[in-house]
Amino acid sequence: MTEQNIISAPTPVQGTPEASGELTDLLGLMARLRADCPWDQKQSNHSLIPYAIEEAYELGEAVQADDDEDIKSELGDVLLQVVFHCQLYAEQGRFDISDVISTLQQKLIRRHPHVFEAENLVDEAAVKVRWDEIKAEEHQAAAAR
């Protein structure tokens, strides 16, 4: 966990929290659940895998149905999976949500040279080809490590 990237170490919320819509409050809520909920305490990154997969499928169904309330709910469930996994990895001292966000930002910048560099990609098809090339290069580099 990089000190400069830490959003803030989540402090478990006290009392009954309100739904503020703020990421830091969500992280505090997750920390409280890990501290005080027996089910949440028992979970591991491995035990959460089926839930992450299920929520991704449910999000796909909600988008297909084009139901805004269901989409918001299912996006929240997918976000819960991200936050829950990040909380568990942070507890293990491996990384935190700030590291995940930074990694995503780096990937988005790297995979969009037509936006952030001088590459001139003229249409969606060219962007997709370049994205796939960059992704393949990343996988090769990872395999070489």
Side-chain angles (χ1 to χ4, degrees):
M1 295 182 290
T2 56
E3 289 197 27
Q4 65 192 26
N5 287 341
I6 294 178
I7 289 174
S8 68
T11 302
V13 294
Q14 301 300 313
T16 303
E18 292 189 27
S20 68
E22 297 296 322
L23 180 60
T24 53
D25 292 340
L26 175 59
L27 298 176
L29 177 58
M30 186 73 248
R32 169 80 181 274
L33 293 174
R34 283 287 292 163
D36 294 346
C37 174
W39 187 88
D40 289 323
Q41 290 172 349
K42 295 280 185 193
Q43 299 313 303
S44 69
N45 296 106
H46 291 276
S47 72
L48 292 175
I49 291 170
Y51 301 106
I53 293 166
E54 177 183 350
E55 296 306 344
Y57 278 109
E58 290 178 1
L59 173 59
E61 291 169 1
V63 170
Q64 290 292 342
D66 200 28
D67 179 331
D68 287 356
E69 292 305 311
D70 198 22
I71 293 168
K72 285 191 295 187
S73 177
E74 296 304 334
L75 281 169
D77 291 345
V78 170
L79 179 59
L80 168 60
Q81 293 302 309
V82 172
V83 168
F84 207 153
H85 279 276
C86 288
Q87 175 70 31
L88 293 172
Y89 283 114
E91 290 171 9
Q92 298 164 35
R94 294 171 66 178
F95 57 84
D96 64 15
I97 196 163
S98 293
D99 297 310
V100 171
I101 292 169
S102 177
T103 299
L104 173 60
Q105 290 169 320
Q106 291 168 20
K107 181 186 295 185
L108 291 172
I109 293 164
R110 187 174 56 249
R111 291 189 183 175
H112 289 84
H114 56 286
V115 174
F116 302 109
E117 296 176 17
E119 284 193 27
N120 186 16
L121 303 177
V122 295
D123 59 21
E124 173 192 357
V127 170
K128 173 75 169 94
V129 166
R130 186 65 179 121
W131 177 282
D132 290 341
E133 290 171 354
I134 294 167
K135 190 172 180 179
E137 291 167 6
E138 292 168 355
H139 285 251
Q140 277 185 328
R145 282 186 254 155

